[in-house]
Amino acid sequence: MKRIQIRTFITALFLMLFLGSCSEILDEKPRSIYEPGFFKTEKGVFGGLTSMYAHLRYIYGPAYYYNTLVTGTDEATYAQSADNNFKDMDLSGVGSITATSSRSDGLWGTAFPNINTASGIIENAAEVGTISNALIAEARFFRAFDYFLLVQTFGGVPLDLGAGELKFNTNPVRTSKRNTVTEVYTKAIFPDLLIAVNDLPVAGRVKGGVTKTVARLYLAKAYITYAWWLQNPNNVPTYPETNRTDPDGHDASWYFQQAYNIAADGIENPGSFSLQNTYYDVNLGTNDRNSEILLYADHTESSEFYNASSLTYSNGAAPENFAGWMMTWNYTNIRSSGVSSVQREAVQSLGRPWTRMCPTINVIKNTFADKTNDSRYDGTFTTVYRGNWNKAGNTSATLNNANGLPVSPGGAILSFLTQDNPAVVYAASTGNIGAGLLPGRADYVINPSGISRIVYPGLWKLGVYRTDNGTGLGQPNAASTRPFNIAKFSELYFIAAEAAVKGASPRAGKSARELINVIRARAGKWRWDNAGNTAKVADNSAALTAATPAVIDINYILAERSREYYAEGYRWFDLVRTQKWEELAGSYQICGNTYGDHTPVTVTRTIDKHHYLRPIPQGQLDAMVMTAAEKATYQNPGY
């Protein structure tokens, strides 16, 4: 199978991880191919493991795969400058998902080579006397990690890459057979993760290295996802077709309980991991790689070589981290005294605008309904755009802004209001972007119901962070040098709570409501107000936890998950797992594509059952030497 081949780390660029943490990794030489003997050496094993961490950057950070996990859910729709990659995923009548257009090919083409590398280590590393079970467990974790992503995305996928199931393959083949969902979970994912939980260390071998805690998280996620699949509440078809019967004789309830137990174990045995004190700190650029982050695709500002991309420009391709640009609108079009008062700047609140994705009105008004007590809206979006023309060399002390009133550098130029104000008056020419006016205010304003595909709050949490801006605008056209966060300690609470809602027996002090309230209590704590750009010491934990329903359901947990992980790439998997996609994302409200359009329109999506699986990429089908009938059988139904 030509596309499932043994491509692994090909250039030394993949050796960027863990600078100063493991000298053996930095001593590795680039290789274009692996063979079994390579993994029977210490350098081979360390080189292969390094490539596994590096492969994360080809999945997390590039925009098009990120788009498949967010656009088309209840979190986002396509924005004004979207190309067909984004419109297709929206399923709102402006495009369609096909084997050619679906950008889940970014996952398919990256995961299988890494799986093969992992198999090479698992099969051969034991012959190296200095290689511990803990090192081999890292390979097992990543093999399970990739298979878990694949099975959620495509359904059953091949376990045999040419040399037998879960065997290291050295010979490219051009035929393939897909295993069933049941086989992928019970033969690959569960066994590898169980060993990883047992053999991985409590503290990572290197900074950012996989640990017992992250293995527990993914085992719990795999158990709960498989439990939902066995239960199949809305009769969503699976492919390849198979009975939803567990070969070990367990039912969905058993797996929900296992998911709860493993997640609770992770909470009770955190090692060096912990929740941050405030939600703001979780995603703050100056606090990257903090105690809440279990796994990330790393980048660095210190070296282009180890960053694997330029520090001054970007071509918008993997392995760069540029997902954060997608929900950044072109704020540089704002004018004050005829001047672009908000310049493109390499800071977390701004960054490079691509205007490809935008939040819906429903997100702003409903998902983040409580913007006073709950800090997560303020810690997710840029809602106030401030003047920075002085950093571009403009020496004007003030510029005239809304209502002809003066603003100074650092002052608010445009604010997205937290609730609709009927006194807002819009005009097509206001601020050059059709913004609104309120009497006596020097900042332009836009109501929550007035956000559009062209003007909307930006995504602060994924914004760029650099230390080399000096007194200027820095390098806003370069891809982000921040790590892309993949897994967080907080999700253990959500998985355990979800399992409890699905019938798992909880431990003392860890009912579904109690677990969710740990997260909500943290959400009520403020130390900084992004919108006000000022310190804010407040603790609204009591109000938030009191507002939690006495009995919570799946929809409540999903709403909390969206508040916690908005636009981080969780949402499509959440809606597919719980089979709530049509119910929660079947329609949305947004205003139009032109400046000054503040009239909400309700858009309906067509989400069919076959959309719960992404199509096998056309490039994969084209590369296989199989009959047309065999390829048709290989493809997921509906595509």
Side-chain angles (χ1 to χ4, degrees), residues 354-366:
W354 270 36
T355 324
R356 299 296 199 270
M357 306 158 66
C358 64
T360 65
I361 292 173
N362 313 71
V363 165
I364 306 302
K365 298 182 72 171
N366 301 332

Side-chain angles (χ1 to χ4, degrees), residues 270-316:
S272 60
F273 299 104
S274 63
L275 297 176
Q276 292 289 289
N277 291 329
T278 69
Y279 184 76
Y280 170 76
D281 284 310
V282 178
N283 301 297
L284 178 64
T286 56
N287 196 41
D288 282 336
R289 306 172 188 86
N290 60 66
S291 66
E292 193 160 329
I293 311 304
L294 303 184
L295 186 67
Y296 49 80
D298 212 0
H299 291 270
T300 179
E301 180 190 310
S302 63
S303 166
E304 286 192 352
F305 180 80
Y306 292 109
N307 191 48
S309 57
S310 171
L311 298 175
T312 59
Y313 72 92
S314 170
N315 60 8

Side-chain angles (χ1 to χ4, degrees), residues 9 71 104 251 315 367 377 394 405 491 562 594 596 629 636-637:
F9 77 106
T71 305
S104 293
D251 60 9
N315 60 8
T367 302
Y377 178 73
N394 186 328
L405 296 173
E491 197 179 4
S562 194
T594 58
N636 283 325

Side-chain angles (χ1 to χ4, degrees), residues 72-87:
T73 72
D74 54 345
E75 290 191 341
T77 180
Y78 67 91
Q80 180 265 341
S81 297
D83 58 26
N84 288 337
N85 291 288
F86 297 86
K87 293 180 178 179

Side-chain angles (χ1 to χ4, degrees), residues 278 524-529 534-540:
T278 69
K525 296 177 181 178
W526 299 65
R527 77 169 184 85
W528 184 261
D529 182 350
T534 186
K536 175 180 178 178
V537 179
D539 188 347
N540 304 316

